[in-house]
Amino acid sequence: MTRILLACLAATALLGGCKIVQKLPEAVAQGDGAAAPADRVAQVVRDTYESQVLPEIAGKAVEIGTLRTAIAQGLEAAGATHGVQATGGGGWNFLARGEGTVVGGDRESRAAVLDVDVDADGTGDLQIQLGPVVKGTALRDASPFYEFTDFKDQIEFAGLARALNTRATEGLTLPEGDLAGRSVAFEGAFALRSATEAIQLVPTRLALEEAE
Amino acid sequence: MNINRRVLLGVLAVGATGVVPAFAQESKGLIVIITPSHDNPFFKAEADGADARARELGYETLVLVHDDDPNKQSELFDTAIAQGAKAIILDNAGADASVAPIQRAKDAGIPSFLIDREITQSGVAVSQIVSNNYQGAQLGAEEFVRLMGESGEYAELVGKESDTNAGIRSSGYHDIIDQYPDLRMVAQQTANWSQTEAYTVMESILQANPGIKGVISGNDTMAMGAYAALEAAGRTDVVVVGFDGSNDVRDSILAGGIKATVLQPAFAQAQMAVDQADAYLTNGSTGLEEKQLMDCALINADNAAQLETFALAS
């Protein structure tokens, strides 16, 4: 019996043509358009943004000054103390809050940003992303209750990150024009893959005040 | 039985890939490594990475290729089951079609550890260590948008339709690019991951769209083909961005040709999968979530010199 099986297998390998009837999985209903997953993702965001994401940030955000000091001393240690890393490794995701002064930015680009000085030296220390193009997946990845395993594939999981970014920035109302000199208070998420990389924060809260 | 088994292994290995399996003295058992064809250096790097790590850890290995044919992959799984493999390391031949053979191996007590491409079900494989193609495509697209100055006509070369990663990368590109209304896609065609096909496709796109400023490609082999066609037409001003992080594109970037690509850490990923297989076989658990996303990295003129065989020297 074993010998017959072995012989058959050997023949399979040699000829490469021996067809073994394949048991196909139950047809998995999945539209090839983005509609179905997008709906599911939209539902997840509705169910979790205010009830889980915002409380997570309110409870866990660290002062930006503390974070910058820790990161300057070593990203790995700073991440282990203050950050979250995805199962597959990669960058560290941080939740931060702080105040600073707008020293520049780009309101023209679709990926608009404000440059913010948080240590009063007159130069920008981080960028606050204003959208509508918001880069990165920090908001998703800093939230430990979203697991990749729970999502169908990378497209759906990436859709979650983008929907969260959109949810966070679509409500921002900033006056037009140059905001240089204005004070801002912010709360949000950012990711770093190296200690020297620029901080690009996705704001979940952004408040402008008059300077002085 | 022992003699038969050796002969069979030899025959199978030679028949399938020409790679002869290793026989360690005190073997911890057989790990079967199945990937797409090694014609693409990316998959060769994967297979080499897994093979080297498995031998280091004291396993015998059998390295096989499915050529992106789900039927062939199914046969290779039967081979692995018949061989009493301890574990299977797989870069699969189809997100849906691969579920059944992986389940069959699981039922036979053989855990599978997936790399590079994911499947549509959780709970069948022990690990799915996936390159974050979406994140990588977004990185590539952000660089492409920057190089294009946020405006102008461009073309997209798409990979093989049956490969999930072709669609994922295209979605990742458009997730970023489509948010810039002044960037206008004038052509979107598949070149099936092929360099020669990309050359031909690029020639005809260029004829129809002489005003083109950029080409974003689903992988590096197609980027190489497209750049060759642009070079032949005297259009080296066109911005080309690829995906994979191959040594060919690295050399082109360093020579001022192709502008950027996105590195998938193929070698490291394959080694991680073997480490997780070893942990699972030793402790009964990897201690990790099933699905794991590994980040890709942008490669451009700033860091291309540090790239070698799908790994960045730090």
Side-chain angles (χ1 to χ4, degrees):
Chain A
M1 177 60 199
T2 310
R3 268 163 202 266
I4 292 168
L5 177 62
L6 285 168
C8 174
L9 276 166
T12 301
L14 279 174
L15 302 174
C18 177
K19 293 290 173 206
I20 291 170
V21 177
Q22 195 187 5
K23 187 172 161 258
L24 291 168
E26 294 289 325
V28 186
Q30 43 171 320
D32 49 4
D39 286 351
R40 214 178 81 81
V41 164
Q43 189 59 48
V44 169
V45 173
R46 275 197 296 277
D47 291 346
T48 55
Y49 188 78
E50 292 196 358
S51 64
Q52 288 182 270
V53 177
L54 294 182
E56 176 77 13
I57 297 172
K60 301 243 178 91
V62 178
E63 276 299 325
I64 188 70
T66 309
L67 279 179
R68 290 183 67 231
T69 305
I71 291 163
Q73 288 165 0
L75 180 59
E76 285 305 310
T81 309
H82 301 295
V84 178
Q85 194 175 38
T87 312
W92 284 101
N93 300 279
F94 298 94
L95 295 173
R97 71 159 56 91
E99 290 169 17
T101 308
V102 177
V103 292
D106 182 354
R107 306 283 305 273
E108 298 301 316
S109 168
R110 298 270 302 161
V113 290
L114 289 181
D115 292 328
V116 177
D117 172 22
V118 294
D119 58 9
D121 67 353
T123 61
D125 303 304
L126 63 92
Q127 292 194 316
I128 295 181
Q129 303 195 61
L130 304 178
V133 180
V134 179
K135 294 173 184 172
T137 57
L139 202 48
R140 178 195 72 191
D141 296 339
S143 306
F145 36 85
Y146 299 128
E147 272 297 346
F148 180 32
T149 307
D150 299 333
F151 292 81
K152 182 175 140 277
D153 56 23
Q154 290 181 54
I155 294 185
E156 195 174 274
F157 198 48
L160 171 69
R162 186 165 166 201
L164 288 169
N165 287 348
T166 302
R167 178 73 179 77
T169 53
E170 68 190 357
L172 295 176
T173 47
L174 290 175
E176 290 298 317
D178 190 2
L179 299 177
R182 305 283 296 270
S183 298
V184 286
F186 59 85
E187 212 165 77
F190 67 90
L192 287 183
R193 289 179 173 78
S194 75
T196 52
E197 197 180 338
I199 295 176
Q200 293 196 308
L201 179 118
V202 184
T204 50
R205 191 173 68 81
L206 183 63
L208 266 185
E209 297 145 27
E210 292 300 331
E212 333 252 318
Chain B
M1 174 58 203
N2 266 338
I3 290 164
N4 272 345
R5 188 180 146 108
R6 265 166 203 247
V7 170
L8 171 65
L9 277 169
V11 166
L12 273 171
V14 171
T17 62
V19 176
V20 178
F23 290 94
Q25 275 294 320
E26 293 290 328
S27 172
K28 289 161 86 173
L30 176 70
I31 287 186
V32 176
I33 299 157
I34 307 174
T35 71
S37 162
H38 295 181
D39 288 351
N40 182 331
F42 178 83
F43 300 121
K44 181 164 191 321
E46 257 179 14
D48 288 352
D51 185 46
R53 188 77 186 129
R55 288 166 187 245
E56 267 170 42
L57 293 173
Y59 294 92
E60 297 165 32
T61 60
L62 180 56
V63 178
L64 303 169
V65 295
H66 55 56
D67 291 327
D68 283 303
D69 175 353
N71 291 321
K72 186 168 178 194
Q73 174 179 264
S74 183
E75 290 165 11
L76 297 178
F77 264 76
D78 290 331
T79 303
I81 293 166
Q83 289 303 310
K86 291 281 186 255
I88 296 170
I89 308 293
L90 172 72
D91 189 345
N92 75 76
D96 285 322
S98 301
V99 174
I102 295 167
Q103 180 69 49
R104 207 159 65 235
K106 185 185 178 186
D107 294 343
I110 306 170
S112 295
F113 300 81
L114 272 56
I115 50 176
D116 182 34
R117 304 171 181 171
E118 61 197 301
I119 54 172
T120 51
Q121 282 186 32
S122 304
V124 186
V126 173
S127 296
Q128 297 190 51
I129 312 172
V130 181
S131 306
N132 196 338
N133 282 274
Y134 211 93
Q135 170 262 351
Q138 291 181 319
L139 279 182
E142 284 166 5
E143 180 74 353
F144 184 71
V145 166
R146 192 185 67 77
L147 290 161
M148 294 284 287
E150 300 192 6
S151 75
E153 293 184 352
Y154 75 97
E156 181 190 1
L157 296 178
V158 186
K160 192 178 276 184
E161 206 178 337
S162 62
D163 184 342
T164 326
N165 283 340
I168 290 176
R169 288 177 197 170
S170 185
S171 301
Y173 287 157
H174 286 283
D175 209 21
I176 300 295
I177 298 172
D178 291 359
Q179 301 189 60
Y180 295 86
D182 295 337
L183 278 169
R184 202 159 68 82
M185 184 167 72
V186 292
Q188 181 182 41
Q189 284 185 49
T190 182
N192 292 307
W193 302 133
S194 153
Q195 187 160 341
T196 47
E197 206 171 322
Y199 187 97
T200 319
V201 168
M202 193 66 239
E203 274 185 322
S204 61
I205 289 176
L206 198 53
Q207 272 176 0
N209 305 281
I212 202 167
K213 267 178 66 185
V215 178
I216 192 155
S217 168
N219 80 346
D220 276 354
T221 48
M222 295 191 298
M224 289 297 291
Y227 190 76
L230 290 163
E231 205 170 21
R235 289 298 308 275
T236 52
D237 59 302
V238 175
V239 170
V240 179
V241 171
F243 198 113
D244 275 346
S246 73
N247 287 355
D248 286 344
V249 165
R250 170 200 66 193
D251 294 343
S252 179
I253 291 172
L254 291 175
I258 291 171
K259 292 292 178 287
T261 184
V262 176
L263 168 69
Q264 298 195 70
F267 197 84
Q269 191 171 83
Q271 297 212 316
M272 253 173 82
V274 174
D275 287 342
Q276 292 184 19
D278 187 52
Y280 184 83
L281 294 172
T282 310
N283 312 320
S285 162
T286 64
L288 299 167
E289 280 287 322
E290 176 188 335
K291 287 177 82 169
Q292 305 158 43
L293 278 177
M294 269 183 94
D295 277 352
C296 302
L298 181 72
I299 304 292
N300 57 20
D302 296 340
N303 61 356
Q306 292 148 274
L307 179 64
E308 176 58 46
T309 320
F310 301 99
L312 260 184
S314 46

